[in-house]
Amino acid sequence: MPSKAASLALSSHPGPAIAVTIISAGLGFAVGLDPAALIFLFLSMLAGQVSVGLSNDWIDAELDRAAGRTDKPIARGWISATSVRNGAWIAGALMVAFAIPLGWSSAVTLFAAILLAWAYNLGLKRTPFSVVPYILSFGALPAIATLALDPPQAPALWALSVGALLGAAAHFANTLPDIDADRAAGVRGLPQLLGRRVSSIIAYIVLLLAAVLEVFGAGGLGFLPADIGLALNVVICTIGIVLINRPTRWHFRLIILASLIDVVALLFAGPSLLA
């Protein structure tokens, strides 16, 4: 049996938590945050993401037990729901402490993004509005970085839009492998209502739109990272549509690949991320 610390780490959804933290720090680096602000941005986002992951496992503990989820430490009996709940609150408090040096505008935006993620865990994921927290939270990521500058600066509208589109794609991608299990558990979020095929198509189209926005946001054709990103997205979208009736894992991997390509192009945009 893993230790309590290891079980807490597994309950925090470490993959998505680390990925979003790295993206946030990358955006901070891209817009020119000083090293101290960059460290506080990294730590505050990591703490916030850990709190979100822990809250998910704590809130869904009974459902995970009933479903026999062997990938969930609480369901396996490795750690109590109370310990995971306490960890979520501690991580949330650390997020607040680490975010204060970023300035009130960046900190408030970060708090709002994390609160939306908690709202998803608390019930929005079981409604047709399940994609909304993802759209708003991911859409806020460029703002969290640019508002941490001294003085704070507004993000470009196109960057906010790309973040929102990446959030929508992340929601559909995350739910694809578990749609059947979610439906059996009574979860009726937007992807579960639309089904695997339609959700995959939407994710491909959304990521292609994000790539188009990156090209125009960075000043039009001629910015190599965005140009390459758009070309690759066209190829991935085409492959995905052709293989639309293949097993879910095909689409999950293709959507994640397209998302990573869009993220890299966004991080290379640098000063273009500023309004």
Side-chain angles (χ1 to χ4, degrees):
M1 179 184 296
S3 66
K4 185 174 181 178
S7 296
L8 271 176
L10 291 170
S11 297
S12 71
H13 297 213
I18 292 171
V20 175
T21 300
I22 290 174
I23 292 169
S24 300
L27 288 169
F29 181 81
V31 300
L33 279 185
D34 64 65
L38 200 56
I39 290 171
F40 281 115
L41 175 59
F42 180 92
L43 292 175
S44 59
M45 182 58 75
L46 179 60
Q49 290 300 312
V50 167
S51 79
V52 171
L54 292 175
S55 72
N56 180 278
D57 275 24
W58 155 46
I59 292 166
D60 286 350
E62 291 304 320
L63 289 175
D64 291 339
R65 285 195 190 99
R69 293 287 297 269
T70 58
D71 58 328
K72 300 289 186 178
I74 296 177
R76 297 281 305 260
W78 293 344
I79 192 170
S80 68
T82 300
S83 295
V84 174
R85 179 201 65 193
N86 293 342
W89 287 116
I90 291 170
L94 287 173
M95 175 196 69
V96 173
F98 288 136
I100 290 173
L102 299 176
W104 73 267
S105 55
S106 177
V108 168
T109 306
L110 172 60
F111 300 160
I114 297 301
L115 284 174
L116 281 164
W118 271 69
Y120 175 85
N121 292 339
L122 286 166
L124 276 178
K125 69 178 181 181
R126 295 180 174 83
T127 75
F129 304 102
S130 61
V131 72
V132 173
Y134 274 83
I135 289 173
L136 297 179
S137 293
F138 276 75
L141 293 183
I144 295 168
T146 65
L147 292 174
L149 290 166
D150 187 17
Q153 297 190 49
L157 181 59
W158 74 266
L160 295 175
S161 301
V162 168
L165 290 170
L166 288 172
H171 178 46
F172 285 106
N174 284 340
T175 54
L176 277 179
D178 300 318
I179 280 183
D180 292 334
D182 288 341
R183 283 174 166 171
V187 176
R188 292 294 184 271
L190 187 60
Q192 290 83 12
L193 292 173
L194 293 176
R196 188 176 288 113
R197 188 171 182 271
V198 174
S199 293
S200 298
I201 293 172
I202 290 174
Y204 288 124
I205 293 173
V206 160
L207 289 168
L208 185 57
L209 287 174
V212 171
L213 275 179
E214 287 174 337
V215 168
F216 288 101
L221 293 172
F223 180 62
L224 195 58
D227 294 346
I228 293 173
L230 177 57
L232 291 175
N233 264 274
V234 169
V235 172
I236 291 171
C237 183
T238 302
I239 293 172
I241 298 302
V242 169
L243 301 177
I244 198 60
N245 292 317
R246 290 294 184 95
T248 300
R249 282 293 170 185
W250 279 83
H251 301 292
F252 176 77
R253 292 167 184 151
L254 287 171
I255 290 165
I256 293 299
L257 177 59
S259 299
L260 289 173
I261 291 167
D262 283 347
V263 167
V264 170
L266 184 66
L267 295 180
F268 272 105
S272 297
L273 296 169
L274 300 171

